[in-house]
């Protein structure tokens, strides 16, 4: 997955192959809702700018009062699915505007024509000007992004 952050929010983007008949987002939603119920969370299915989306609240481990809000959006294309998970303030107060939704809308999925198993992650290629935060460097400790 690719993760984008802005202020007090973030979005995780995942793309995977889908069958030619469509309907993978419906299957993925059902699996996600089953997991939310298993961990004692709550959810709402709402119609958003990209169709049916999930607004989820799952309990934080070892806490009876805290929860993690998220908003999960799915976009189906020709034989692919792009899933965006908005976290932080963007998960708590859903909006169809802003830089994170723009990142979702501007993501290009190039699935290719070869056979692929549904739900397996697709290869990610970042643009030349993408900022990447190294995990184990002085820049990461200082919070300075570097250009990939």
């Amino acid at each position: 997955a690719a993760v984008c952050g802005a202020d007090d929010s973030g979005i995780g983007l995942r793309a995977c192959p889908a069958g030619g008949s469509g309907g993978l987002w419906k299957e993925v939603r059902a699996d996600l809702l089953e997991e939310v119920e298993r961990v004692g969370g709550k959810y709402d299915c709402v119609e958003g700018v990209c169709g049916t989306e999930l607004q989820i609240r799952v309990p934080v481990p070892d806490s009876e009062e805290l929860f993690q809000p998220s908003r999960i959006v799915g976009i189906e294309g020709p034989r692919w699915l792009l899933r965006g998970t908005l976290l932080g303030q963007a998960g708590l107060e859903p909006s169809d505007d802003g830089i994170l939704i723009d990142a979702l809308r501007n993501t290009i999925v190039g699935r290719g024509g070869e056979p692929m198993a549904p739900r397996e992650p697709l290869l990610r290629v970042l643009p030349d000007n993408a900022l990447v935060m190294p995990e184990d460097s002085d820049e990461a400790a200082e919070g300075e992004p570097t250009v990939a």
Side-chain angles (χ1 to χ4, degrees), residues 71-113:
R71 173 186 179 196
I72 305 177
V73 177
I75 301 170
E76 286 193 76
R79 299 179 54 212
W80 54 262
L81 170 69
L82 175 63
R83 186 172 99 190
T85 302
L86 294 126
L87 301 167
Q89 200 63 28
L92 190 60
E93 296 178 6
S95 171
D96 292 332
D97 296 318
I99 194 166
L100 297 176
I101 290 295
D102 287 346
L104 175 70
R105 287 180 176 141
N106 292 320
T107 297
I108 298 169
V109 178
R111 185 215 182 278

Side-chain angles (χ1 to χ4, degrees), residues 45-91:
C45 294
V46 298
E47 287 302 310
V49 68
C50 298
T52 304
E53 62 184 51
L54 306 176
Q55 294 176 356
I56 295 175
R57 296 160 305 284
V58 293
V60 172
D62 301 323
S63 173
E64 294 183 21
E65 298 176 18
L66 299 176
F67 65 95
Q68 171 64 53
S70 63
R71 173 186 179 196
I72 305 177
V73 177
I75 301 170
E76 286 193 76
R79 299 179 54 212
W80 54 262
L81 170 69
L82 175 63
R83 186 172 99 190
T85 302
L86 294 126
L87 301 167
Q89 200 63 28

